[in-house]
């Protein structure tokens, strides 16, 4: 099993920045990719960004390209999501995800974090 714990959410004004962190523990050697999803009230959970644990290949949803950056620190078993130029429509609960197999949009998530709230005020 792998446990994922997110941190770094909060309230920020439009145009501001936040950095989310996701710390993994347990059988982390089984993970080949990690990423972030988000779910706004009344909407389905959607893919945000993903990165491979080896090589650092990354992919982003079109809605966040150029504003968000995903990165990882393998020594700390941690994945980050740097969010810049935030917009009110970025308001959502952000979930960390990990998968044993890489796909560009993390279609096969094996582990989920509990989520962290990001609220962007206008």
């Amino acid at each position: 099993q792998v446990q994922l714990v997110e941190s770094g959410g909060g309230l920020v004004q439009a145009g501001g920045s936040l950095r989310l962190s996701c710390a993994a523990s347990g059988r982390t050697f089984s993970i080949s990719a990690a990423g972030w999803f988000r779910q706004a009230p009344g909407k389905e959970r959607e893919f945000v960004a993903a990165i491979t644990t080896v090589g650092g290949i990354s992919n982003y949803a079109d809605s966040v390209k150029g504003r968000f950056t995903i990165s990882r620190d393998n020594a700390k078993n941690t994945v980050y999501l740097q969010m810049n130029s935030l917009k009110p429509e970025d308001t959502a609960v952000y979930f960390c995800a990990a998968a044993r197999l890489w796909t560009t949009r993390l279609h096969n998530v094996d582990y989920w974090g509990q989520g962290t709230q990001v609220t962007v005020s206008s």
Side-chain angles (χ1 to χ4, degrees), residues 47-67:
F47 168 77
V48 176
I51 190 168
T52 58
T53 55
V54 177
I57 298 170
S58 60
N59 189 44
Y60 298 89
D62 288 343
S63 58
V64 306
K65 278 182 182 176
R67 300 188 298 123

Side-chain angles (χ1 to χ4, degrees), residues 16-89:
S17 299
L18 281 175
R19 188 176 83 154
L20 305 183
S21 299
C22 173
S25 61
R27 299 171 66 86
T28 57
F29 59 85
S30 66
I31 298 303
S32 61
W36 296 89
F37 289 72
R38 67 186 182 186
Q39 188 167 17
K43 295 188 176 182
E44 293 187 353
R45 191 172 299 189
E46 64 175 3
F47 168 77
V48 176
I51 190 168
T52 58
T53 55
V54 177
I57 298 170
S58 60
N59 189 44
Y60 298 89
D62 288 343
S63 58
V64 306
K65 278 182 182 176
R67 300 188 298 123
F68 290 11
T69 302
I70 190 169
S71 62
R72 88 273 191 240
D73 184 335
N74 290 343
K76 296 182 179 180
N77 289 325
T78 300
V79 174
Y80 304 97
L81 185 67
Q82 178 66 43
M83 306 185 293
N84 298 329
S85 302
L86 282 161
K87 306 174 181 179
E89 50 263 44

